[in-house]
Amino acid sequence: MKKNVLLFLLVALFALTAFVLVGCGDEPEPQPGPGPEVEVKRDVKVANAGLSVVLEAGKSVYVTALGQADFAYMQTIVNDAIEGSEITVTVDNQLKAADLNAGDVVISVLGYTSKGISGDITQTSEIARAKALAEKEGIILILCQLSGKERRGESSDPIISEAVKGADYVFIYDADDSKGADYDKKYSTEWCKGFDKLYLFSDEYDIKDYIEVLLGAN
Amino acid sequence: MKFMNDKKIRLIVTTCILTLVLIIGVITSVNFLKFRNYNTEFVVREDVVGKIYKFSEFSKHLKGDVADSNIYEIQGTDNTVAIVKKDKLANYNKIDNIKGLSVCGVDGSSQYDAAKDVFTSNINVLATANDVYENVKSGTYEVGILSYKEAITLINNDQNENVDISDAIVEKVPSLLLIGGTHPNEPSGQLAATVVLENAKVKRGILYVITELNRSAYSYSQPQEGTTWYYHLKTKNGNTRTFKYGSRATNTVDQWPTPDVYTHSSGQQLSSSEVRNINRAYPGNEEGTYTEQIAWVVTNFVNQKDVTMVIDLHEASPEYLTINQCVYHQDAADIWSQMKINGFRYYNPEADKTQKLNMPADQSPLNMHGLTHREVGDYTNAYVFLFETSNASQGKIRGAFTEDLIKYSAPDKFYEALVKYDEEHDTSNIYGAPVEISERVARHVLSFESVITGFNKIKTTRVVTQTGRDNVGDGGVYVGEMILEEGTVPSYYDLIKYGVGNYLLDID
Ligand SMILES: [Zn+2]
């Protein structure tokens, strides 16, 4: 009996000490430094966007989705962008980084479907794909968010935040009614901080013109 | 002094209580019965709505029953039709049956041009529509080719009425079935369908409207929610229109018992209450449960009429994730893209510019069965869309249930508090803040127009890629544009500015 009481007291003391230590270890949050100030580029005419062709001869173009929302619409936008050109694209909503070669262009739509993705696709597997694509050496990663606030949040954000780390271009829908994808300024002040290839669009279909230039399809 | 013993007192008290219970029982029963039998009125413009089909024509056991609702047909005034003598209607009901007959049409009309491609015999050219009508009437020609408007005007003006429009399809035009009243506790769907029914005029194509899909679910109120039974809207002239706030599911009076587990025809298992949910009963079954019999009306009608587009209008609670958005069948993805590019636009006179309504979408999950956007897409050749708006009266966070809550004509303090909380804490307890009924209706009406806008970029019937049937690869026929008469359907801006009641007609 005595032994048990002693054991309990010991455990309690240990737990308390650990708790206090962890509590003390909490340093004040580092204040975000000034960092390079980048002006938010909203509705910039494609001619003034300073874009040049990223697609080299012999390299492939892929269209994929990270989060599975707006995949069909993304395909339409890319198809419209390459219309009349010789470019062909490979469409694969489960595109793997391992299948890509240096110089390949990957256009991915962002946003987690609210209907729930089914089969063997999960949020975890999408985060892993996003990370792998972002870390893939030598590819050109173009990320597009075609829907606004409704494709942000706890389902979408963990995938987006991984993907943007390796992005070469980020094009997002952001209307002036505060329902856009950058409604909380996460894109402009956190994920893409200091990154000068973030472009905001009031009409997401204008992204087509940007893709057209980047692929040299015009 | 004890002139009444305990026994007597007990007897009197018991009798009083029982009488009270009986009175309450009778009053509530009468009210319930009144509600069940109350028929919501919809204004049918005689010069516009050419035909009204009964549900029982497409699902026979519903005949004369509470669920035997209407499908209203609005033909495009420019549609090409064939007129024949009335006694020949039954024989001349298919294009193959009239191809070789003697035909006449009006010189230079677009209908004449359309018919030229179909008829094997030469079309005899006459000067006017009246000439065509008279020649068919006299028997000189067996078939007359006219525009729908010409035909219906001449038929209506003729006292003898021995000529009528044949069911034979001379020119394939796009058609759209707009479904309201799937869930009677989601008022914006029914109201949007009613606004379209009472205002739209069609130039080309055929518009079908259902305002009460599940009339059985309109026959009782949502149990245990303390809902208001009726809500009212004022028309432009200040008259009152009354609508019912019903339940989500078929009345247990019409479908009983309820199994512990609902097994859909696909094998999918759902909770018992879903067995009476029409949007889990598709494709439906003429010999199935009451709810399946109603669902079968849609599938069967769409197949029989070869409907090009189907739109199912819904609402959901503000805290439901799939809100203020569309869900479409995968074969409608191209139209959806065209809707995003060209649709959801409305003119805002205050800003003097065209604005675009933000409208996200999801593709219908392949393994979620029983819903319109899955099964009607799989079992018919139609492009299928479902839209949701934000309805506070369906929510769980709401305060007292009032007419104001249904219409959200006055703010609900609990929802307002939660909206504020979300704003301050960057949370998403609510996905679409509760909004007034006019905005919800306006959103649905603009979505309806946007489906047409999207389709008109494609102009072809569907290429079926996946179906519950064996006709994979069907479709893809050019049918041209569907055209509404300009200005007949109220705009998003006007519906909000002037209110939905302004676009409801007066009941005579
Ligand atoms: Zn619903």
Side-chain angles (χ1 to χ4, degrees):
Chain A
M1 187 64 201
K2 252 186 190 169
K3 237 183 189 174
N4 280 347
V5 172
L6 199 67
L7 193 68
F8 173 78
L9 282 175
L10 265 172
V11 169
L13 188 70
F14 178 75
L16 198 69
T17 314
F19 187 73
V20 167
L21 276 175
V22 167
C24 291
D26 246 358
E27 277 174 29
E29 286 251 329
Q31 292 300 308
E37 272 307 319
V38 176
E39 205 190 330
V40 175
K41 293 194 266 279
R42 181 188 291 276
D43 291 329
V44 179
K45 287 227 161 59
V46 66
N48 305 330
L51 304 178
S52 53
V53 182
V54 296
L55 178 64
E56 295 167 28
K59 303 297 175 188
S60 306
V61 181
Y62 295 89
V63 180
T64 190
L66 290 166
Q68 306 301 320
D70 298 319
F71 187 44
Y73 187 25
M74 186 77 251
Q75 292 170 51
T76 302
I77 289 175
V78 176
N79 283 340
D80 287 0
I82 61 171
E83 203 187 316
S85 77
E86 301 280 287
I87 301 165
T88 55
V89 298
T90 306
V91 173
D92 181 1
N93 71 333
Q94 281 296 291
L95 182 71
K96 299 278 186 299
D99 301 335
L100 301 169
N101 299 309
D104 286 349
V105 177
V106 176
I107 302 165
S108 179
V109 66
L110 298 172
Y112 199 84
T113 169
S114 68
K115 273 281 157 195
I117 46 187
S118 47
D120 41 1
I121 311 172
T122 61
Q123 193 201 35
T124 315
S125 70
E126 291 292 271
I127 293 172
R129 279 183 57 238
K131 197 165 184 291
L133 286 174
E135 286 169 356
K136 180 80 183 181
E137 290 286 329
I139 63 163
I140 294 104
L141 184 59
I142 304 169
L143 300 176
C144 307
Q145 172 138 14
L146 304 178
S147 293
K149 190 181 174 184
E150 61 285 339
R151 292 293 176 270
R152 284 279 323 280
E154 57 187 28
S155 302
S156 301
D157 289 2
I159 305 169
I160 298 172
S161 58
E162 281 301 335
V164 292
K165 286 177 191 165
D168 293 284
Y169 296 90
V170 180
F171 303 141
I172 65 169
Y173 162 74
D174 191 66
D176 45 16
D177 61 359
S178 82
K179 303 266 175 63
D182 195 34
Y183 74 99
D184 55 358
K185 306 280 175 265
K186 255 203 171 129
Y187 267 108
S188 52
T189 63
E190 194 180 318
W191 296 332
C192 298
K193 196 175 176 205
F195 175 68
D196 69 343
K197 294 289 189 282
L198 169 71
Y199 294 86
L200 276 56
F201 298 82
S202 303
D203 186 340
E204 72 288 340
Y205 187 64
D206 292 341
I207 292 172
K208 183 207 76 167
D209 300 337
Y210 278 56
I211 292 175
E212 198 174 310
V213 172
L214 290 176
L215 298 183
N218 48 343
Chain B
M1 198 178 77
K2 231 181 172 188
F3 66 84
M4 277 207 286
N5 60 22
D6 282 357
K7 220 176 180 180
K8 262 190 184 159
I9 291 176
R10 244 183 272 142
L11 190 70
I12 290 168
V13 170
T14 310
T15 312
C16 284
I17 290 173
L18 282 178
T19 313
L20 197 66
V21 167
L22 193 71
I23 291 169
I24 292 171
V26 168
I27 291 172
T28 47
S29 302
V30 167
N31 276 338
F32 268 117
L33 212 60
K34 253 191 195 163
F35 184 73
R36 179 168 166 88
N37 295 326
Y38 181 88
N39 291 321
T40 309
E41 288 181 273
F42 302 95
V43 180
V44 176
R45 294 167 295 163
E46 273 177 17
D47 55 332
V48 177
V49 179
K51 248 185 209 173
I52 302 174
Y53 302 94
K54 295 304 285 186
F55 274 22
S56 50
E57 294 172 54
F58 301 90
S59 190
K60 58 177 182 274
H61 299 307
L62 298 176
K63 197 166 175 64
D65 227 335
V66 65
D68 199 359
S69 191
N70 295 331
I71 304 175
Y72 304 96
E73 178 184 283
I74 301 177
Q75 283 268 359
T77 48
D78 286 354
N79 290 356
T80 306
V81 297
I83 56 166
V84 297
K85 275 199 171 175
K86 247 188 179 163
D87 56 357
K88 294 282 171 51
L89 269 178
N91 294 340
Y92 297 170
N93 61 350
K94 285 199 171 66
I95 192 69
D96 284 342
N97 300 354
I98 64 172
K99 265 185 180 169
L101 302 177
S102 62
V103 197
C104 61
V106 182
D107 192 15
S109 67
S110 64
Q111 290 77 25
Y112 170 86
D113 290 338
K116 261 196 314 197
D117 301 336
V118 175
F119 283 90
T120 45
S121 53
N122 279 334
I123 300 176
N124 295 278
V125 174
L126 301 175
T128 66
N130 196 53
D131 295 342
V132 170
Y133 187 84
E134 290 302 330
N135 274 278
V136 172
K137 195 175 162 183
S138 66
T140 312
Y141 297 106
E142 289 156 299
V143 180
I145 298 299
L146 292 173
S147 75
Y148 176 78
K149 190 180 187 176
E150 290 166 340
I152 205 74
T153 309
L154 288 160
I155 290 166
N156 286 343
N157 289 345
D158 189 350
Q159 298 298 316
N160 299 319
E161 280 192 22
N162 56 1
V163 173
D164 210 340
I165 297 172
S166 153
D167 281 339
I169 296 161
V170 181
E171 181 192 15
K172 179 90 175 98
V173 289
S175 54
L176 188 154
L177 170 63
L178 182 65
I179 304 173
T182 290
H183 293 139
N185 59 335
E186 301 168 8
S188 80
Q190 177 176 66
L191 288 175
T194 307
V195 165
V196 170
L197 172 68
E198 298 184 2
N199 292 276
K201 286 185 180 172
V202 182
K203 225 171 131 53
R204 187 173 190 279
I206 308 170
L207 174 62
Y208 303 104
V209 182
I210 295 173
T211 54
E212 299 170 293
L213 180 67
N214 192 349
R215 280 191 96 252
S216 168
Y218 272 109
S219 72
Y220 75 123
S221 61
Q222 189 82 354
Q224 298 170 350
E225 293 287 342
T227 66
T228 302
W229 287 358
Y230 304 94
Y231 63 96
H232 306 87
L233 291 159
K234 281 255 183 296
T235 68
K236 191 162 44 182
N237 300 324
N239 295 313
T240 301
R241 289 283 299 266
T242 305
F243 293 90
K244 290 164 98 172
Y245 188 92
S247 184
R248 179 175 172 84
T250 301
N251 197 334
T252 43
V253 168
D254 302 308
Q255 186 177 324
W256 182 263
T258 300
D260 291 340
V261 174
Y262 163 43
T263 308
H264 179 260
S265 56
S266 64
Q268 167 186 274
Q269 294 197 322
L270 290 166
S271 76
S272 66
S273 63
E274 300 286 26
V275 77
R276 292 179 291 112
N277 177 358
I278 197 161
N279 206 27
R280 297 295 181 278
Y282 291 103
N285 179 355
E286 194 166 25
E287 302 299 332
T289 64
Y290 202 72
T291 311
E292 285 177 314
Q293 289 174 27
I294 305 169
W296 179 246
V297 172
V298 173
T299 309
N300 193 19
F301 181 83
V302 171
N303 275 330
Q304 283 199 30
K305 297 286 172 191
D306 204 7
V307 176
T308 323
M309 297 159 262
V310 174
I311 302 173
D312 187 12
L313 299 177
H314 287 254
E315 295 206 87
S317 64
E319 57 270 30
Y320 180 62
L321 186 59
T322 311
I323 212 166
N324 286 339
Q325 75 158 82
C326 169
V327 185
Y328 59 83
H329 185 269
Q330 71 273 6
D331 287 353
D334 281 349
I335 294 183
W336 173 255
S337 296
Q338 294 306 323
M339 288 164 69
K340 283 295 285 182
I341 298 167
N342 304 290
F344 300 112
R345 284 174 164 77
Y346 63 96
Y347 179 67
N348 179 347
E350 280 163 44
D352 190 24
K353 64 176 181 185
T354 299
Q355 294 180 320
K356 192 177 174 185
L357 190 73
N358 177 34
M359 182 69 73
D362 272 311
Q363 206 159 292
S364 172
L366 291 173
N367 49 2
M368 180 67 194
H369 287 284
L371 296 103
T372 36
H373 51 73
R374 168 62 26 227
E375 309 297 346
V376 179
D378 281 356
Y379 284 85
T380 77
N381 279 339
Y383 296 107
V384 185
F385 303 86
L386 180 149
F387 292 92
E388 299 265 11
T389 54
S390 175
N391 172 18
S393 65
Q394 273 178 279
K396 293 295 169 221
I397 301 151
R398 65 177 174 79
F401 203 106
T402 60
E403 218 181 298
D404 278 337
L405 184 75
I406 297 173
K407 297 187 276 191
Y408 216 71
S409 38
D412 177 273
K413 64 177 177 185
F414 297 100
Y415 269 114
E416 297 302 312
L418 199 53
V419 168
K420 209 170 151 213
Y421 180 93
D422 273 350
E423 274 170 12
E424 284 168 1
H425 295 82
D426 191 22
T427 49
S428 296
N429 291 300
I430 289 176
Y431 295 99
V435 282
E436 213 244 322
I437 189 74
S438 293
E439 196 282 338
R440 285 138 63 191
V441 173
R443 191 172 273 270
H444 275 336
V445 172
L446 182 58
S447 299
F448 154 75
E449 287 188 284
S450 300
V451 169
I452 296 174
T453 305
F455 174 81
N456 287 348
K457 297 288 168 188
I458 308 261
K459 299 189 190 93
T460 42
T461 59
R462 179 179 149 206
V463 178
V464 180
T465 59
Q466 177 166 356
T467 131
R469 307 150 302 157
D470 56 357
N471 58 349
V472 175
D474 270 7
V477 181
Y478 181 88
V479 288
E481 292 189 1
M482 173 141 186
I483 306 168
L484 300 175
E485 216 169 278
E486 217 181 304
T488 56
V489 174
S491 76
Y492 178 79
Y493 178 88
D494 285 350
L495 266 164
I496 294 172
K497 170 111 180 162
Y498 303 108
V500 56
N502 199 59
Y503 298 96
L504 298 173
L505 303 179
D506 294 311
I507 307 278
D508 292 332

